[in-house]
Amino acid sequence: MTEYNPKQIEIISITEKLFAEKGFDGTSIREIAKAADINVAMVSYYFGSKEKLLDAIILYRLSSFRLMLENLQAENITAKEKVSKFVAIYIKRIYENRDIYQILHYEIVNQNRTSNFPAFSEIKKNNLKLLEEIIQEGQKEGVFKQNCKSVLIPPIAIGAFFQIYNNKKFYQELIGLQDEISFENYILNEFTNDISNVILGMLIQ
């Protein structure tokens, strides 16, 4: 994982929020510099370009997820338990880093720009490879179907999460959640368990 100094981390955090609010194209280097209280040249010095800055956000926020998956894969538990824990870890990561996921979703849907960011593609491929190895464990155990597609698991989790999150007020009223804390508890517990059961239902023989 790339190491960043405190100022770079501050710039990354500020830029992430600006990108989430205004989109990649709607945010200028000048706006980033002003929000971070630095001159424009400093952004270029640290990151090179706005594209490289988005790359840095992706690396900073998402690359540690691979270590979590490696630790999960090494645990002495069944493949079914690993998939349930994967879903819990994944949804928690989405919730905690929802700004960057919103940015990526916007860029993919509207400009397909993230196909030009090799760091993002590499992280996705590596994480999917680890997930596929967990699925293969379950197939060897005779628990998972031979023709199940592990590539569908992240889109199911992230799609369901943002359907709820982007319509938060509607679902808070529908489910009876009073505030942000109760919503977070719902996402990290009941919602996570429900999505885990949906995914396991797709995988199990």
Side-chain angles (χ1 to χ4, degrees), residues 88-102:
I89 291 169
Y90 193 58
I91 290 176
K92 187 172 187 290
R93 291 285 294 180
I94 295 169
Y95 186 80
E96 291 176 346
N97 298 285
R98 50 196 179 274
D99 282 349
I100 185 61
Y101 280 97
Q102 289 275 45

Side-chain angles (χ1 to χ4, degrees), residues 23-39:
F24 181 88
D25 285 330
T27 305
S28 68
I29 290 290
R30 190 171 297 279
E31 286 176 295
I32 294 167
K34 182 178 179 181
D37 195 25
I38 57 175
N39 60 49

Side-chain angles (χ1 to χ4, degrees), residues 55-187:
D55 234 354
I57 294 171
I58 294 167
L59 284 170
Y60 181 68
R61 295 297 186 197
L62 305 184
S63 60
S64 62
F65 186 55
R66 178 174 174 80
L67 180 59
M68 290 182 177
L69 284 185
E70 289 173 346
N71 291 336
L72 172 61
Q73 189 184 30
E75 285 192 43
N76 188 25
I77 56 177
T78 67
K80 182 179 174 181
E81 290 171 318
K82 288 181 181 180
V83 168
S84 293
K85 289 189 76 170
F86 169 86
V87 173
I89 291 169
Y90 193 58
I91 290 176
K92 187 172 187 290
R93 291 285 294 180
I94 295 169
Y95 186 80
E96 291 176 346
N97 298 285
R98 50 196 179 274
D99 282 349
I100 185 61
Y101 280 97
Q102 289 275 45
I103 293 165
L104 295 175
H105 176 74
Y106 178 84
E107 293 301 326
I108 290 168
V109 169
N110 293 283
Q111 282 109 35
N112 198 31
R113 189 192 312 281
T114 46
S115 63
N116 297 322
F117 289 102
F120 180 57
S121 296
E122 194 62 27
I123 289 169
K124 288 198 298 183
K125 288 176 184 176
N126 289 336
N127 291 345
L128 282 171
K129 183 178 179 182
L130 288 171
L131 179 58
E132 177 62 27
E133 289 172 4
I134 291 173
I135 301 304
Q136 288 171 355
E137 284 181 32
Q139 290 170 332
K140 289 177 182 177
E141 293 169 3
V143 177
F144 294 158
K145 301 171 186 174
Q146 291 300 316
N147 62 344
C148 54
K149 294 180 174 64
S150 59
V151 71
L152 296 178
I153 294 175
I156 290 171
I158 196 169
F161 170 81
F162 277 114
Q163 174 63 26
I164 298 288
Y165 186 79
N166 290 334
N167 298 279
K168 187 190 297 186
K169 288 185 179 180
F170 172 79
Y171 284 102
Q172 278 182 315
E173 183 179 342
L174 192 68
I175 300 168
L177 304 173
Q178 301 303 316
D179 50 34
E180 187 67 28
I181 293 174
S182 60
F183 179 80
E184 180 176 345
N185 287 335
Y186 168 74
I187 289 294

